[in-house]
Amino acid sequence: MNIKDKIDRAKLPQHIAIIMDGNGRWAKGLGKLRVFGHKNGVSAVREVLEGAIEIGVPYLTLYAFSSENWNRPKLEVRALMELLISSLTKELKTFQQNGVKLKAIGNLNDLPDNIQKTLNDTMEATKENSKCTLTLALSYGSRTEILDATKRIADQVAQGTLKPEDITEDLFSQYLYTADIPDPDLMIRTSGEQRISNFLLWQLAYTELWFSAKMWPEFTRNDLFEAIFDYQSRERRFGKTSEQL
Ligand code: FPP
């Protein structure tokens, strides 16, 4: 029996978040430039998106560019931005055919104008799609996201439109970039690194973590299915005991 057939379709994670790591090391291992890794990383994005649609996962969030990634060499940053534009332009048809709604989270105003335009056009064109919401975290940093939310809430308290005692976890979540997305059930990171790297710190509070030794360009839909299968073997207690579940 292949791994996909072992997955219980009634217990799928509703939201999978992925830290796509290892493009540079994979390319270097082959004696190529880092950009070669990113190009092949795009193929892995397509593969995993197709896998998520095939099995029926409604939310997929990809850490595509962190706020810290701006510090990389200019040439690499430019190559990543160009890859993003060309991928979005090329994939629009696939998004429409497969019911993919595109979303973007992060400090989007920091992105070059042409990226913002392509993103906005693609989000607008796919906003009615409902099979899978693909969220790209771009120029994203979770601490900044949390601070932004806190400042907006503090403003409302200062203006008297919100009382401190009304600030609940649910209310706070509504001020994050992910307001209309459920918290991830499963977070995958490739390349053998085992850290969160300023990704969805609030939202990952009860998320199951799965680490793969594979570099991102090597990651296939079967690896995604393996992660989902492993996730299904876990008991999520949310702080309770087994007996209380
Ligand atoms: C991490 O590998 C990967 C990134 C910083 C960028 C991910 C981008 C893509 C896969 C391409 C564009 C994305 C989309 C959604 C079309 P790394 O460079 O940090 O690898 P390293 O740790 O080996 O250096």
Side-chain angles (χ1 to χ4, degrees):
M1 200 193 245
N2 69 33
I3 188 82
K4 186 182 152 200
D5 296 330
K6 290 188 194 162
I7 292 174
D8 180 349
R9 305 299 175 99
K11 289 187 189 148
L12 286 174
Q14 295 300 291
H15 181 182
I16 300 180
I18 306 183
I19 301 180
M20 311 180 286
D21 197 11
N23 292 350
R25 275 166 286 163
W26 178 80
K28 214 173 148 195
L30 294 173
K32 309 259 188 186
L33 296 175
R34 295 177 57 81
V35 174
F36 181 74
H38 297 315
K39 282 189 182 148
N40 283 272
V42 174
S43 310
V45 168
R46 191 177 306 115
E47 169 88 8
V48 163
L49 176 62
E50 283 172 8
I53 294 165
E54 188 179 325
I55 199 111
V57 172
Y59 293 92
L60 181 68
T61 298
L62 305 177
Y63 205 1
F65 193 85
S66 75
S67 37
E68 288 76 25
N69 285 156
W70 289 116
N71 299 321
R72 291 194 172 191
K74 272 202 177 74
L75 259 178
E76 182 172 344
V77 170
R78 195 181 316 150
L80 275 168
M81 294 296 150
E82 277 165 16
L83 264 183
L84 193 64
I85 293 221
S86 62
S87 311
L88 287 177
T89 313
K90 228 187 285 168
E91 298 303 326
L92 179 61
K93 212 165 122 196
T94 328
F95 290 170
Q96 302 297 37
Q97 282 166 352
N98 292 285
V100 175
K101 183 200 289 197
L102 183 80
K103 268 187 68 78
I105 56 171
N107 254 329
L108 305 179
N109 290 333
D110 288 349
L111 295 167
D113 289 347
N114 57 344
I115 301 269
Q116 290 191 41
K117 183 171 174 352
T118 309
L119 271 176
N120 286 332
D121 290 351
T122 315
M123 288 193 283
E124 179 61 28
T126 60
K127 69 177 183 201
E128 303 298 341
N129 294 344
S130 57
K131 219 164 166 189
C132 181
T133 300
L134 170 67
T135 303
L136 299 182
L138 292 164
S139 189
Y140 175 87
S142 185
R143 286 185 171 182
T144 300
E145 175 186 30
I146 291 170
L147 279 180
D148 281 352
T150 309
K151 286 179 199 161
R152 282 164 53 222
I153 290 172
D155 256 356
Q156 294 219 353
V157 171
Q159 284 170 29
T161 49
L162 187 67
K163 290 197 224 103
E165 57 269 32
D166 291 337
I167 306 171
T168 59
E169 290 186 10
D170 279 346
L171 180 127
F172 196 86
S173 298
Q174 288 309 306
Y175 283 78
L176 296 172
Y177 308 148
T178 50
D180 45 358
I181 305 175
D183 287 343
D185 298 301
L186 173 64
M187 197 283 284
I188 298 171
R189 181 171 188 151
T190 56
S191 91
E193 308 291 358
Q194 302 195 357
R195 49 178 177 265
I196 306 291
S197 301
N198 205 11
F199 186 47
L200 303 174
L201 298 179
W202 172 278
Q203 297 88 337
L204 291 177
Y206 286 102
T207 302
E208 295 295 329
L209 309 179
W210 197 79
F211 299 101
S212 167
K214 284 197 178 177
M215 299 293 155
W216 178 248
E218 304 170 310
F219 200 79
T220 64
R221 77 183 70 196
N222 265 339
D223 295 314
L224 177 77
F225 296 154
E226 201 182 305
I228 295 174
F229 182 65
D230 184 72
Y231 160 87
Q232 292 187 331
S233 71
R234 301 185 190 184
E235 183 179 69
R236 301 182 76 198
R237 292 192 293 277
F238 301 96
K240 296 182 179 170
T241 66
S242 283
E243 293 70 32
Q244 287 175 301
L245 293 176

